[in-house]
Amino acid sequence: GAVVSQHPSWVICKSGTSVKIECRSLDFQATTMFWYRQFPKQSLMLMATSNEGSKATYEQGVEKDKFLINHASLTLSTLTVTSAHPEDSSFYICSARDERTSGYSYEQYFGPGTRLTVT
Amino acid sequence: SQKIEQNSEALNIQEGKTATLTCNYTNYSPAYLQWYRQDPGRGPVFLLLIRENEKEKRKERLKVTFDTTLKQSLFHITASQPADSATYLCAPLGTGFQKLVFGTGTRLLVSP
């Protein structure tokens, strides 16, 4: 199946700094990618839909100026957490759909996640 | 508002038994319903999709049912194994390519 990678797999940063997380579709192109956040023992919460070549669509309650998304190419989306604070510490996961093959199943492929800890 | 509910408490069963997980949704009229598996510290992995006009779908030891009247999907794992221990997530979706919104997830623990 299709593979989605994320980098870094974990990162520790100081409060007030910015952190960039990359999401790549390795063997397929994705016009749309999704970013999720997951707190311990909770389900995934959709943050935003990343659209190649256009602005991201953010879910209600997600600050677009804090979580900057850039989908610069058909295989790369980045999420930048700006001015990070301890409450931003979470597990961030991206996903993408291989529109060539998932057709009927609408299967989405998820990255392995990035653990962000803000001290 | 739209809601997707799964058993929040962990389901503990013994190896070899059938595990049954429930997904209830409100204020949705999904055309499909997907099930995913998530292991700790990993991203979810797609398992099955069932369409609204399919009452049942099977894949190896997995079986999914979809009752649009009850607004419920049941996910069964037969002959469960300790390796099946994970969190299982359901995600209803409409027609066309849409964003996935997940249920709360149910953690399954299969003991030897």
Side-chain angles (χ1 to χ4, degrees), chain B residues 19-59:
Chain B
T20 298
L21 285 68
T22 305
C23 174
N24 293 298
Y25 57 90
T26 52
N27 296 323
Y28 264 105
S29 294
Y32 310 93
L33 197 140
Q34 294 185 339
W35 283 89
Y36 285 77
R37 168 184 171 141
Q38 186 180 24
D39 291 287
R42 308 290 294 272
V45 175
F46 173 79
L47 295 175
L48 276 172
L49 173 139
I50 186 166
R51 304 176 74 176
E52 61 178 339
N53 61 355
E54 295 176 320
K55 290 190 176 176
E56 184 179 294
K57 194 79 168 282
R58 290 176 186 261
K59 180 183 177 183

Side-chain angles (χ1 to χ4, degrees), chain A residues 36 38 43 59 104-106, chain B residues 34 38 49 51 99-100 103:
Chain A
Y36 293 83
Q38 187 173 36
S43 188
E59 295 298 300
Y104 167 82
S105 74
Y106 296 108
Chain B
Q34 294 185 339
Q38 186 180 24
L49 173 139
R51 304 176 74 176
K99 59 189 181 184
L100 273 184

Side-chain angles (χ1 to χ4, degrees), chain A residues 30-100:
Chain A
T31 55
T32 305
M33 293 184 175
F34 302 92
W35 285 97
Y36 293 83
R37 180 168 53 181
Q38 187 173 36
F39 292 107
K41 297 189 178 180
Q42 294 188 25
S43 188
L44 285 79
M45 296 300 296
L46 180 65
M47 297 176 66
T49 302
S50 173
N51 305 298
E52 188 268 335
S54 65
K55 290 183 179 179
T57 306
Y58 291 82
E59 295 298 300
Q60 195 171 9
V62 177
E63 299 175 58
K64 62 180 180 181
D65 294 330
K66 181 169 183 63
F67 299 100
L68 301 179
I69 292 172
N70 184 17
H71 196 148
S73 76
L74 287 171
T75 59
L76 173 64
S77 175
T78 60
L79 169 69
T80 302
V81 183
T82 63
S83 187
H85 291 287
E87 56 264 31
D88 298 323
S89 299
S90 189
F91 191 51
Y92 292 86
I93 309 175
C94 68
S95 73
R97 178 171 167 246
D98 184 351
E99 296 169 30
R100 301 168 305 169

Side-chain angles (χ1 to χ4, degrees), chain B residues 3 10-11 19-20 23 28-29 33-34 43 45 54 56-57 60 63 65 71 74-75 80 82 85 87 91-92 94-95:
Chain B
K3 244 184 189 180
L11 177 63
T20 298
C23 174
Y28 264 105
S29 294
L33 197 140
Q34 294 185 339
V45 175
E54 295 176 320
E56 184 179 294
K57 194 79 168 282
E60 297 172 354
K63 185 179 87 170
T65 63
K71 295 186 180 294
L74 298 179
F75 178 82
S80 60
S85 299
T87 296
T95 55

